[in-house]
Every structure is written in structure tokens, then in C-alpha cells.
């Protein structure tokens, strides 16, 4: 059974506990497939409470596999205008998650231009991950 199996299938243990019982250490082995996750909903300095579930999932995944996150940060956060941000709860992964935060400009309204602007922003870090071998698997989260 995979270390990522449901905790109910693992006799009530969390996936991390199951992985530890299976001999998987806190940090990934060099022979593990490398994952790069493109995530527009990953917490950051300007949006600390955004995507906490996704961050927790990726931090757990980083305990099992080499992981790099590409989390584009908007130049203008339209949804935050006039609103304060929350604080991210304390805690973190057993291994440091590497996060690239390319900046991107997008016009409000959700046009096709937004897709083009996002692609231009994330291509350099994604291509770098492919070149240096840290992207056997590409994962994506959009919100």
C-alpha cells in the first residue's frame, strides 16, 4: 500500500506515521521521483491564509518526495484591496519546501490575457525545474 493511502486504511494512523512505519524518513530519498507543483493558491507573504489545505498537503508530500513549488504572486492583489490578511498557523514541514514566487500581472475580469500573463510568469521556473531534473511529475492547483 502506498504511503499516501488513507489514514483509515492505515489503522487510524496519519499518512506521515504510516510512511515512518514503512521506513520512509522525514526527508525524501534521492531516488524518489521529483515533483514540481504549480500552485496559484499557496500561502505567501501577501496572502498568508490562502490555500492552507494545499500547503499542508504539499508539505506532507515533501516529506516523501523531493518537491519544488512554483507559486506565482500577483503584482496587484485585487481581492485584498480593502481587506486585511490573516496569519498562517505555526508549524511546517519536516523538510524545507522550496518555493519560487514569480510575479505576474493580470487584468481583472478573468480574460484569456490572464492565462498568457500567467504562462509567461511561470515558464522560467518550470523550465529550470525540467532542465535540472527536479520535475519528474508536475502537479497543479488553481483557485
Amino acid at each position: 500500500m502506498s504511503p499516501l493511502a488513507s489514514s483509515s486504511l492505515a489503522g487510524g494512523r496519519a499518512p506521515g506515521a504510516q510512511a515512518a512505519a514503512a521506513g520512509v524518513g522525514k526527508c525524501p530519498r534521492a531516488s524518489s521521483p521529483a515533483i514540481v507543483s504549480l500552485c496559484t493558491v499557496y500561502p505567501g507573504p501577501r496572502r498568508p491564509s490562502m490555500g492552507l489545505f494545499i500547503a499542508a498537503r504539499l508539505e506532507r508530500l515533501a516529506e516523501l518526495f523531493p518537491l519544488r513549488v512554483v507559486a506565482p504572486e500577483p503584482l496587484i492583489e485585487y481581492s485584498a484591496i480593502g481587506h486585511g490578511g490573516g496569519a498562517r498557523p505555526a508549524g511546517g514541514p519536516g523538510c524545507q519546501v522550496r518555493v519560487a514566487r514569480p510575479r505576474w500581472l493580470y487584468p481583472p475580469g478573468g480574460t484569456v490575457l490572464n492565462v498568457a500573463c500567467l504562462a509567461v510568469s511561470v515558464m522560467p521556473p518550470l523550465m529550470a525545474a525540467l532542465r535540472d531534473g527536479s520535475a519528474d511529475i508536475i502537479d497543479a492547483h488553481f483557485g
Side-chain angles (χ1 to χ4, degrees):
M1 173 145 316
S2 163
L4 300 177
S6 166
S7 62
S8 64
L9 297 176
R13 292 183 292 182
Q18 182 181 2
V24 176
K26 275 295 220 181
C27 293
R29 296 182 301 260
S31 63
S32 298
I35 301 169
V36 63
S37 181
L38 172 58
C39 186
T40 61
V41 290
Y42 195 81
R46 295 174 68 191
R47 304 178 302 166
S49 60
M50 173 70 87
L52 295 176
F53 169 79
I54 301 299
R57 178 189 166 276
L58 292 175
E59 289 168 356
R60 177 68 72 179
L61 199 59
E63 293 176 3
L64 303 172
F65 302 98
L67 176 75
R68 177 185 294 186
V69 175
V70 177
E73 289 280 334
L75 287 171
I76 301 169
E77 183 63 61
Y78 300 107
S79 64
I81 294 174
H83 301 283
R88 185 171 180 203
C95 294
Q96 192 64 267
V97 174
R98 295 182 300 165
V99 181
R101 295 187 186 279
R103 301 303 300 255
W104 70 300
L105 177 64
Y106 65 96
T111 67
V112 172
L113 187 56
N114 293 12
V115 176
C117 291
L118 181 60
V120 167
S121 171
V122 301
M123 286 310 285
L126 288 177
M127 294 307 292
L130 289 170
R131 273 192 309 274
D132 71 18
S134 60
D136 297 318
I137 299 169
I138 297 176
D139 174 58
H141 301 273
F142 298 94

